[in-house]
Short mmCIF file of all heavy atoms in Angstrom, two decimals:
data_model
loop_
_atom_site.label_atom_id
_atom_site.label_comp_id
_atom_site.label_asym_id
_atom_site.label_seq_id
_atom_site.Cartn_x
_atom_site.Cartn_y
_atom_site.Cartn_z
N LEU A 1 17.80 -8.94 1.67
CA LEU A 1 18.24 -7.84 0.80
C LEU A 1 19.49 -8.20 0.17
O LEU A 1 20.53 -8.33 0.82
CB LEU A 1 18.34 -6.53 1.56
CG LEU A 1 18.96 -5.30 0.83
CD1 LEU A 1 18.08 -5.01 -0.38
CD2 LEU A 1 19.11 -4.14 1.74
N ALA A 2 19.50 -8.58 -1.17
CA ALA A 2 20.69 -9.04 -1.81
C ALA A 2 21.77 -7.92 -1.79
O ALA A 2 21.47 -6.72 -1.74
CB ALA A 2 20.38 -9.50 -3.25
N GLN A 3 23.09 -8.34 -1.88
CA GLN A 3 24.12 -7.44 -1.82
C GLN A 3 24.87 -7.42 -3.09
O GLN A 3 24.77 -8.31 -3.92
CB GLN A 3 25.09 -7.83 -0.67
CG GLN A 3 24.41 -7.70 0.78
CD GLN A 3 25.28 -8.07 1.84
OE1 GLN A 3 26.40 -8.65 1.62
NE2 GLN A 3 24.96 -7.71 3.07
N GLY A 4 25.77 -6.41 -3.21
CA GLY A 4 26.61 -6.32 -4.39
C GLY A 4 25.66 -6.07 -5.71
O GLY A 4 24.77 -5.35 -5.58
N PRO A 5 26.03 -6.86 -6.75
CA PRO A 5 25.23 -6.63 -7.93
C PRO A 5 23.90 -7.14 -7.85
O PRO A 5 22.95 -6.78 -8.68
CB PRO A 5 26.02 -7.48 -9.03
CG PRO A 5 26.73 -8.46 -8.19
CD PRO A 5 27.15 -7.82 -6.91
N GLU A 6 23.54 -7.83 -6.75
CA GLU A 6 22.15 -8.28 -6.51
C GLU A 6 21.38 -7.48 -5.60
O GLU A 6 20.18 -7.74 -5.12
CB GLU A 6 22.16 -9.77 -6.07
CG GLU A 6 22.87 -10.71 -7.02
CD GLU A 6 22.69 -12.05 -6.81
OE1 GLU A 6 22.05 -12.42 -5.77
OE2 GLU A 6 23.04 -12.92 -7.65
N GLY A 7 21.92 -6.31 -5.20
CA GLY A 7 21.26 -5.45 -4.20
C GLY A 7 20.04 -4.80 -4.62
O GLY A 7 19.36 -4.03 -3.81
N ASP A 8 19.63 -4.85 -5.92
CA ASP A 8 18.42 -4.14 -6.32
C ASP A 8 17.16 -5.09 -5.96
O ASP A 8 16.07 -4.68 -6.23
CB ASP A 8 18.50 -4.02 -7.83
CG ASP A 8 19.54 -2.99 -8.21
OD1 ASP A 8 20.03 -2.31 -7.29
OD2 ASP A 8 19.93 -2.97 -9.41
N PHE A 9 17.36 -6.30 -5.52
CA PHE A 9 16.24 -7.19 -5.19
C PHE A 9 16.05 -7.45 -3.73
O PHE A 9 17.03 -7.63 -2.97
CB PHE A 9 16.45 -8.55 -5.93
CG PHE A 9 16.33 -8.42 -7.44
CD1 PHE A 9 17.47 -8.09 -8.24
CD2 PHE A 9 15.18 -8.68 -8.14
CE1 PHE A 9 17.35 -8.09 -9.54
CE2 PHE A 9 15.09 -8.56 -9.45
CZ PHE A 9 16.13 -8.25 -10.21
N VAL A 10 14.80 -7.36 -3.24
CA VAL A 10 14.44 -7.54 -1.89
C VAL A 10 13.40 -8.60 -1.85
O VAL A 10 12.31 -8.41 -2.33
CB VAL A 10 13.96 -6.23 -1.24
CG1 VAL A 10 13.65 -6.44 0.22
CG2 VAL A 10 14.98 -5.05 -1.44
N ARG A 11 13.68 -9.76 -1.29
CA ARG A 11 12.72 -10.76 -1.15
C ARG A 11 12.11 -10.85 0.25
O ARG A 11 13.00 -11.04 1.25
CB ARG A 11 13.34 -12.19 -1.61
CG ARG A 11 12.35 -13.39 -1.41
CD ARG A 11 11.09 -13.12 -2.38
NE ARG A 11 10.11 -14.00 -1.93
CZ ARG A 11 9.85 -15.20 -2.41
NH1 ARG A 11 10.68 -15.74 -3.29
NH2 ARG A 11 8.77 -15.92 -2.11
N VAL A 12 10.80 -10.78 0.39
CA VAL A 12 10.18 -10.90 1.65
C VAL A 12 9.45 -12.09 1.79
O VAL A 12 8.60 -12.43 1.00
CB VAL A 12 9.30 -9.67 1.89
CG1 VAL A 12 8.55 -9.66 3.18
CG2 VAL A 12 10.01 -8.30 1.71
N ARG A 13 9.71 -12.88 2.80
CA ARG A 13 9.10 -14.11 2.98
C ARG A 13 7.94 -14.08 4.20
O ARG A 13 6.95 -14.63 4.11
CB ARG A 13 10.07 -15.28 3.34
CG ARG A 13 11.13 -15.38 2.15
CD ARG A 13 12.02 -16.63 2.27
NE ARG A 13 12.97 -16.50 1.21
CZ ARG A 13 12.74 -16.92 -0.07
NH1 ARG A 13 11.67 -17.42 -0.33
NH2 ARG A 13 13.79 -16.87 -0.90
N ARG A 14 8.30 -13.21 5.16
CA ARG A 14 7.31 -12.85 6.29
C ARG A 14 7.58 -11.46 6.55
O ARG A 14 8.71 -10.96 6.70
CB ARG A 14 7.45 -13.75 7.48
CG ARG A 14 7.18 -15.22 7.29
CD ARG A 14 7.09 -15.87 8.74
NE ARG A 14 8.31 -15.59 9.53
CZ ARG A 14 9.44 -16.31 9.33
NH1 ARG A 14 9.57 -17.25 8.55
NH2 ARG A 14 10.49 -15.97 10.09
N PRO A 15 6.49 -10.61 6.70
CA PRO A 15 6.77 -9.18 7.00
C PRO A 15 7.45 -9.06 8.44
O PRO A 15 7.22 -9.90 9.30
CB PRO A 15 5.24 -8.67 7.14
CG PRO A 15 4.43 -9.60 6.34
CD PRO A 15 5.04 -10.96 6.46
N GLU A 16 8.27 -8.05 8.45
CA GLU A 16 8.90 -7.63 9.68
C GLU A 16 8.22 -6.52 10.46
O GLU A 16 7.61 -5.74 9.70
CB GLU A 16 10.39 -7.32 9.40
CG GLU A 16 11.19 -8.47 8.95
CD GLU A 16 12.65 -8.15 8.75
OE1 GLU A 16 12.98 -6.86 8.89
OE2 GLU A 16 13.47 -9.08 8.45
N PRO A 17 8.29 -6.44 11.66
CA PRO A 17 7.60 -5.37 12.43
C PRO A 17 8.08 -3.95 12.00
O PRO A 17 9.36 -3.77 11.91
CB PRO A 17 7.87 -5.66 13.87
CG PRO A 17 8.25 -7.10 13.93
CD PRO A 17 8.89 -7.34 12.64
N LEU A 18 7.19 -3.08 11.85
CA LEU A 18 7.50 -1.63 11.59
C LEU A 18 7.47 -0.95 13.03
O LEU A 18 6.97 -1.52 14.01
CB LEU A 18 6.57 -0.98 10.71
CG LEU A 18 6.57 -1.53 9.29
CD1 LEU A 18 5.38 -1.10 8.52
CD2 LEU A 18 7.89 -0.89 8.50
N PRO A 19 8.10 0.26 13.08
CA PRO A 19 7.85 1.03 14.42
C PRO A 19 6.37 1.09 14.73
O PRO A 19 5.63 1.19 13.83
CB PRO A 19 8.47 2.38 13.97
CG PRO A 19 9.46 2.09 12.91
CD PRO A 19 8.98 0.92 12.16
N PRO A 20 6.02 1.06 15.97
CA PRO A 20 4.67 0.85 16.43
C PRO A 20 3.66 1.84 15.81
O PRO A 20 2.63 1.42 15.33
CB PRO A 20 4.78 1.00 17.92
CG PRO A 20 6.11 0.52 18.25
CD PRO A 20 7.01 0.98 17.10
N ALA A 21 4.03 3.13 15.90
CA ALA A 21 3.07 4.16 15.38
C ALA A 21 2.95 3.98 13.86
O ALA A 21 1.81 4.11 13.28
CB ALA A 21 3.61 5.60 15.67
N LEU A 22 3.99 3.71 13.11
CA LEU A 22 3.90 3.45 11.68
C LEU A 22 3.08 2.24 11.42
O LEU A 22 2.24 2.18 10.45
CB LEU A 22 5.30 3.35 11.11
CG LEU A 22 5.34 2.86 9.58
CD1 LEU A 22 4.62 3.74 8.74
CD2 LEU A 22 6.82 2.84 9.20
N GLN A 23 3.26 1.16 12.10
CA GLN A 23 2.48 -0.13 11.94
C GLN A 23 0.99 0.28 12.01
O GLN A 23 0.13 -0.26 11.28
CB GLN A 23 2.91 -1.11 12.97
CG GLN A 23 2.26 -2.53 12.66
CD GLN A 23 2.94 -3.12 11.38
OE1 GLN A 23 4.08 -3.32 11.26
NE2 GLN A 23 2.04 -3.40 10.39
N VAL A 24 0.60 1.00 13.08
CA VAL A 24 -0.83 1.34 13.30
C VAL A 24 -1.32 2.05 11.95
O VAL A 24 -2.41 1.85 11.57
CB VAL A 24 -0.95 2.08 14.57
CG1 VAL A 24 -2.47 2.64 14.65
CG2 VAL A 24 -0.64 1.27 15.76
N ALA A 25 -0.51 2.98 11.55
CA ALA A 25 -1.00 3.81 10.40
C ALA A 25 -1.12 2.92 9.12
O ALA A 25 -2.13 3.04 8.34
CB ALA A 25 0.06 4.93 10.11
N VAL A 26 -0.17 1.99 8.88
CA VAL A 26 -0.23 1.13 7.73
C VAL A 26 -1.48 0.24 7.87
O VAL A 26 -2.23 -0.03 6.89
CB VAL A 26 1.03 0.24 7.61
CG1 VAL A 26 0.83 -0.88 6.71
CG2 VAL A 26 2.22 1.18 7.21
N ASP A 27 -1.69 -0.29 9.04
CA ASP A 27 -2.87 -1.21 9.23
C ASP A 27 -4.25 -0.37 9.25
O ASP A 27 -5.24 -1.02 9.06
CB ASP A 27 -2.74 -1.91 10.62
CG ASP A 27 -1.58 -2.94 10.68
OD1 ASP A 27 -1.07 -3.33 9.55
OD2 ASP A 27 -1.19 -3.28 11.76
N GLY A 28 -4.12 0.90 9.33
CA GLY A 28 -5.32 1.67 9.33
C GLY A 28 -5.89 2.07 8.02
O GLY A 28 -6.92 2.63 7.88
N LEU A 29 -5.21 1.70 6.89
CA LEU A 29 -5.71 1.89 5.59
C LEU A 29 -6.94 1.17 5.31
O LEU A 29 -7.04 -0.03 5.62
CB LEU A 29 -4.61 1.54 4.57
CG LEU A 29 -3.40 2.42 4.55
CD1 LEU A 29 -2.34 1.89 3.54
CD2 LEU A 29 -3.69 3.85 4.22
N ASP A 30 -7.98 1.75 4.64
CA ASP A 30 -9.28 1.16 4.57
C ASP A 30 -9.62 1.03 3.15
O ASP A 30 -9.64 1.96 2.29
CB ASP A 30 -10.24 2.23 5.21
CG ASP A 30 -11.74 1.71 5.24
OD1 ASP A 30 -12.02 0.74 4.41
OD2 ASP A 30 -12.50 2.11 6.07
N ALA A 31 -9.75 -0.28 2.65
CA ALA A 31 -9.99 -0.57 1.28
C ALA A 31 -11.28 0.05 0.76
O ALA A 31 -11.49 0.43 -0.34
CB ALA A 31 -10.06 -2.07 1.04
N ALA A 32 -12.35 0.13 1.68
CA ALA A 32 -13.66 0.62 1.27
C ALA A 32 -13.50 2.12 0.99
O ALA A 32 -14.14 2.57 0.01
CB ALA A 32 -14.68 0.38 2.41
N ARG A 33 -12.75 2.87 1.73
CA ARG A 33 -12.50 4.25 1.43
C ARG A 33 -11.83 4.42 0.08
O ARG A 33 -12.17 5.31 -0.71
CB ARG A 33 -11.78 4.93 2.53
CG ARG A 33 -12.42 5.10 3.84
CD ARG A 33 -11.50 5.64 4.90
NE ARG A 33 -12.09 5.91 6.17
CZ ARG A 33 -12.79 6.97 6.64
NH1 ARG A 33 -12.84 7.95 5.75
NH2 ARG A 33 -13.22 7.01 7.77
N LEU A 34 -10.81 3.67 -0.16
CA LEU A 34 -10.11 3.60 -1.45
C LEU A 34 -11.06 3.45 -2.61
O LEU A 34 -11.02 4.23 -3.56
CB LEU A 34 -9.02 2.56 -1.51
CG LEU A 34 -7.76 2.79 -0.63
CD1 LEU A 34 -6.98 1.55 -0.56
CD2 LEU A 34 -6.95 3.91 -1.14
N THR A 35 -11.92 2.48 -2.46
CA THR A 35 -12.93 2.26 -3.61
C THR A 35 -13.86 3.39 -3.74
O THR A 35 -14.16 3.77 -4.84
CB THR A 35 -13.65 0.93 -3.26
OG1 THR A 35 -12.75 -0.17 -3.12
CG2 THR A 35 -14.60 0.60 -4.37
N ARG A 36 -14.30 3.99 -2.68
CA ARG A 36 -15.22 5.20 -2.76
C ARG A 36 -14.53 6.35 -3.51
O ARG A 36 -15.14 6.95 -4.32
CB ARG A 36 -15.76 5.58 -1.39
CG ARG A 36 -16.76 4.62 -0.77
CD ARG A 36 -17.58 5.30 0.35
NE ARG A 36 -16.72 5.70 1.48
CZ ARG A 36 -16.45 4.86 2.46
NH1 ARG A 36 -16.93 3.67 2.50
NH2 ARG A 36 -15.61 5.29 3.52
N HIS A 37 -13.34 6.63 -3.11
CA HIS A 37 -12.62 7.67 -3.76
C HIS A 37 -12.47 7.40 -5.30
O HIS A 37 -12.68 8.30 -6.14
CB HIS A 37 -11.24 7.80 -3.21
CG HIS A 37 -11.20 8.36 -1.80
ND1 HIS A 37 -12.07 9.19 -1.24
CD2 HIS A 37 -10.45 7.99 -0.72
CE1 HIS A 37 -11.89 9.54 0.01
NE2 HIS A 37 -10.84 8.77 0.35
N MET A 38 -12.11 6.18 -5.65
CA MET A 38 -11.91 5.83 -7.04
C MET A 38 -13.24 5.88 -7.76
O MET A 38 -13.32 6.39 -8.93
CB MET A 38 -11.29 4.48 -7.15
CG MET A 38 -9.84 4.51 -6.76
SD MET A 38 -8.92 2.96 -7.00
CE MET A 38 -9.71 1.81 -5.86
N ALA A 39 -14.33 5.54 -7.13
CA ALA A 39 -15.61 5.57 -7.76
C ALA A 39 -16.02 7.06 -7.98
O ALA A 39 -16.64 7.41 -9.08
CB ALA A 39 -16.73 4.94 -6.79
N PHE A 40 -15.74 7.94 -7.07
CA PHE A 40 -15.94 9.44 -7.32
C PHE A 40 -15.19 9.93 -8.57
O PHE A 40 -15.68 10.59 -9.40
CB PHE A 40 -15.68 10.19 -6.05
CG PHE A 40 -15.86 11.70 -6.25
CD1 PHE A 40 -17.06 12.35 -6.00
CD2 PHE A 40 -14.71 12.45 -6.78
CE1 PHE A 40 -17.28 13.67 -6.24
CE2 PHE A 40 -14.98 13.85 -6.96
CZ PHE A 40 -16.27 14.46 -6.67
N LEU A 41 -13.89 9.59 -8.56
CA LEU A 41 -13.02 10.06 -9.51
C LEU A 41 -13.39 9.61 -10.98
O LEU A 41 -13.16 10.32 -11.94
CB LEU A 41 -11.57 9.81 -9.25
CG LEU A 41 -11.03 10.43 -7.99
CD1 LEU A 41 -9.80 9.69 -7.47
CD2 LEU A 41 -10.71 11.88 -8.21
N THR A 42 -13.89 8.45 -11.02
CA THR A 42 -14.16 7.75 -12.36
C THR A 42 -15.61 7.94 -12.77
O THR A 42 -16.01 7.51 -13.91
CB THR A 42 -13.83 6.25 -12.36
OG1 THR A 42 -14.56 5.63 -11.37
CG2 THR A 42 -12.26 6.13 -12.17
N ASP A 43 -16.42 8.60 -11.94
CA ASP A 43 -17.87 8.81 -12.24
C ASP A 43 -17.94 9.59 -13.49
O ASP A 43 -17.17 10.55 -13.74
CB ASP A 43 -18.49 9.62 -11.12
CG ASP A 43 -20.07 9.65 -11.34
OD1 ASP A 43 -20.53 10.39 -12.25
OD2 ASP A 43 -20.71 9.12 -10.50
N PRO A 44 -18.84 9.28 -14.50
CA PRO A 44 -18.87 10.03 -15.77
C PRO A 44 -19.18 11.59 -15.53
O PRO A 44 -18.76 12.39 -16.43
CB PRO A 44 -20.12 9.41 -16.38
CG PRO A 44 -20.16 8.01 -16.01
CD PRO A 44 -19.71 8.13 -14.48
N ARG A 45 -19.67 11.96 -14.38
CA ARG A 45 -19.88 13.31 -14.13
C ARG A 45 -18.54 14.13 -13.91
O ARG A 45 -18.53 15.31 -14.00
CB ARG A 45 -20.72 13.58 -12.85
CG ARG A 45 -22.24 13.14 -13.12
CD ARG A 45 -22.98 13.24 -11.78
NE ARG A 45 -22.64 12.09 -10.90
CZ ARG A 45 -23.29 11.83 -9.79
NH1 ARG A 45 -24.24 12.64 -9.39
NH2 ARG A 45 -22.84 10.83 -9.04
N ARG A 46 -17.48 13.42 -13.73
CA ARG A 46 -16.15 13.94 -13.64
C ARG A 46 -15.56 14.28 -15.00
O ARG A 46 -14.49 14.82 -15.16
CB ARG A 46 -15.10 13.14 -12.87
CG ARG A 46 -15.56 12.70 -11.41
CD ARG A 46 -15.60 13.88 -10.47
NE ARG A 46 -17.01 14.39 -10.46
CZ ARG A 46 -18.00 13.94 -9.89
NH1 ARG A 46 -17.96 12.79 -9.29
NH2 ARG A 46 -19.19 14.57 -9.93
N GLU A 47 -16.23 13.78 -16.15
CA GLU A 47 -15.82 14.16 -17.48
C GLU A 47 -14.50 13.62 -17.82
O GLU A 47 -13.80 14.18 -18.64
CB GLU A 47 -15.93 15.63 -17.73
CG GLU A 47 -17.36 16.20 -17.46
CD GLU A 47 -17.27 17.71 -17.60
OE1 GLU A 47 -16.79 18.43 -16.82
OE2 GLU A 47 -17.83 18.22 -18.64
#
């Protein structure tokens, strides 16, 4: 995390651990569910 005038930039080279419960929630995101939701929303029947 750059400091001073460079503090707007954050470079990540390897992820750092999150609090355990948060890490489980982040890892629990499901790409297939995301795609199904987007398919419903963009279906022509949604006009």
Side-chain angles (χ1 to χ4, degrees):
L1 174 59
Q3 295 180 346
E6 304 195 350
D8 296 343
F9 289 86
V10 180
R11 178 62 198 268
V12 178
R13 304 188 186 278
R14 292 191 309 275
E16 292 183 354
L18 291 165
L22 170 54
Q23 189 68 61
V24 173
V26 166
D27 292 342
L29 294 174
D30 186 336
R33 289 177 182 270
L34 288 168
T35 301
R36 286 199 297 272
H37 294 321
M38 292 186 290
F40 177 90
L41 294 164
T42 57
D43 189 294
R45 287 173 290 185
R46 305 292 89 75
E47 305 174 283

